[in-house]
Every structure is written in C-alpha cells, then in structure tokens.
Amino acid sequence: METNYIFKLLILGDAGVGKSCLLLRFTNNRYTGRYCSTVGVDSRTRTLEIAGFKIKLHIWDTAGEERFRSMVSTYYRHVQGIVLVFDTTQRNSFNHIDYWLKEIEKYALPNICVMLVGNKCDALEKRQVRQELATDYADRLGLPYMEASAVSGVNVERMFGKLAVNIFDIHVLPTLQQAKGPQSHGISLSSLPKTIKPRNNKHRNYNCC
C-alpha cells in the first residue's frame, strides 16, 4: 500500500494507565489483559485514509516510569501529535497530567497536537475521576478530551483518527490548498513532503481536534 504521508505520534502518561493496551487495540485490535511494563520506548504503525490520502501513523509507546523519562524526552521534537493518557480509576494519574503538560511544554515543538484521553472508562465501579471533572479540566486548557477503553475498544479508533485528522488539517491541508492555486492544474504527490515536519512557531498552541 502506497503511503502519501507519515505522521509521528507519541503516547505519554503514568505507568500502568494502559498506553500499551490502547496502542495494541488500535494497531492489532487485540487486548491481552496482561500487564507488561514498557521498557524505554516501543513503536507500532497503522495506515489510515484521510481525504483520499494514505496516512501511516508511526506511534511511539513510552515508558511511564521516572527512570526512563530522560530517554523519552528525546522523542518529543520528532512528533506532530501526542496522546496524553490517564487512568479514570486512578486519581493520581489524572493529578499528574499537569506534570506531563509541563514536559510537553519543555521538550515538544510549538503547534503540537495534543489529545487528552481517559482510559478504562468501562470500569464504572472503580472510577475515581468523573467525566465532568476531566472535561472541564481539558476545556480550561483548550485540549480535546475523550474517554476510551482498551478492553472493549470503545473510542480507540475514534481518538487516534481524530488526532490524525487534526494533524492533517494543520500540517498538510495548507500545502494542498496552496498546490491547488490558480496556476496549478493538479497536485503532484511526489512534490509534497511524505514525512511531515513539526512547525517551530514562536508561541505554544495546543491544537484541538
């Protein structure tokens, strides 16, 4: 399958919030139920179609443990999108979102697309973070928020898809629109960049999906 564009994503969040499980569900439609801590950084890929273009998502799954965080920080500047995950059954993981946003502010390039995700929304009896609380928090920061479940698969496709569409709108669409200008008789895919480079704007701007 020919790929027109490659988007690079990073999954962040505390250890045990289900980052690897969400990625496995998205890329392989599987859930193992076994907890296995990520060592350093792992990666998987999946191709989507957006506006008739084949988009390969190269997704880095990061370890949440503090001892790996210096290694993870080197990946921030190479991505266009970040999935920031907390566990709806663990209030501490939600409280740590501020820490992860500071890391993004510190290491990622401006204009990064960030989506906040509350995982394990299927575990209603164990919930410690109300949906209204997380939604209000995300709204104050201007972040898109979605609840998902790696166990049931609910919203997993949707959250990655919405983030990919946002990256497309921010980084690809302007180039396509320019190529369709008055002097153009069509778009040559070979003339467009396959790997999208993050913009280095002066001011931080989290882009909502």
Side-chain angles (χ1 to χ4, degrees):
M1 180 185 297
E2 180 184 357
T3 300
N4 302 127
Y5 296 100
I6 299 172
F7 295 167
K8 296 180 181 180
L9 310 180
L10 193 64
I11 305 182
L12 298 176
D14 285 3
V17 297
K19 301 185 297 295
S20 300
C21 292
L22 287 170
L23 183 56
L24 184 62
R25 173 64 77 179
F26 178 65
T27 55
N28 294 81
N29 196 26
R30 290 196 302 117
Y31 177 76
T32 64
R34 298 192 306 269
Y35 174 72
C36 184
S37 178
T38 301
V39 177
V41 177
D42 192 10
S43 68
R44 292 178 181 269
T45 64
R46 180 172 164 185
T47 300
L48 303 178
E49 183 172 315
I50 300 176
F53 295 94
K54 300 297 182 183
I55 311 294
K56 177 180 283 188
L57 301 183
H58 186 176
I59 309 167
W60 283 308
D61 175 25
T62 64
E65 287 88 349
E66 186 172 356
R67 61 196 173 105
F68 293 117
R69 289 178 187 175
S70 61
M71 177 193 306
V72 172
S73 66
T74 63
Y75 287 81
Y76 283 76
R77 290 189 176 274
H78 303 286
V79 300
Q80 296 81 43
I82 291 177
V83 180
L84 182 52
V85 185
F86 71 92
D87 180 348
T88 60
T89 71
Q90 295 292 333
R91 180 59 183 260
N92 282 342
S93 68
F94 177 73
N95 293 340
H96 291 165
I97 291 299
D98 283 342
Y99 163 81
W100 290 109
L101 289 175
K102 289 177 182 177
E103 291 292 285
I104 294 171
E105 184 78 25
K106 182 177 179 180
Y107 295 111
L109 289 174
N111 213 33
I112 192 77
C113 298
V114 181
M115 171 172 281
L116 182 63
V117 174
N119 188 32
K120 306 184 186 180
C121 68
D122 58 298
L124 297 178
E125 70 287 354
K126 298 180 180 179
R127 180 184 281 269
Q128 295 182 5
V129 181
R130 292 181 296 107
Q131 185 174 12
E132 295 81 4
L133 174 64
T135 299
D136 289 345
Y137 173 82
D139 286 346
R140 289 198 304 271
L141 293 173
L143 291 175
Y145 173 64
M146 189 174 295
E147 296 198 340
S149 168
V151 176
S152 67
V154 65
N155 280 341
V156 175
E157 292 270 341
R158 189 179 172 208
M159 74 183 199
F160 281 104
K162 287 189 71 174
L163 183 57
V165 168
N166 192 40
I167 295 171
F168 184 90
D169 288 345
I170 296 296
H171 294 282
V172 177
L173 196 56
T175 303
L176 296 178
Q177 291 171 337
Q178 185 178 14
K180 283 183 176 180
Q183 306 302 321
S184 174
H185 297 286
I187 299 173
S188 172
L189 291 179
S190 62
S191 68
L192 300 176
K194 188 171 184 179
T195 300
I196 306 302
K197 295 182 179 180
R199 298 177 181 179
N200 191 4
N201 291 348
K202 184 177 181 180
H203 300 292
R204 171 73 58 190
N205 178 30
Y206 297 121
N207 292 288
C208 293
C209 300

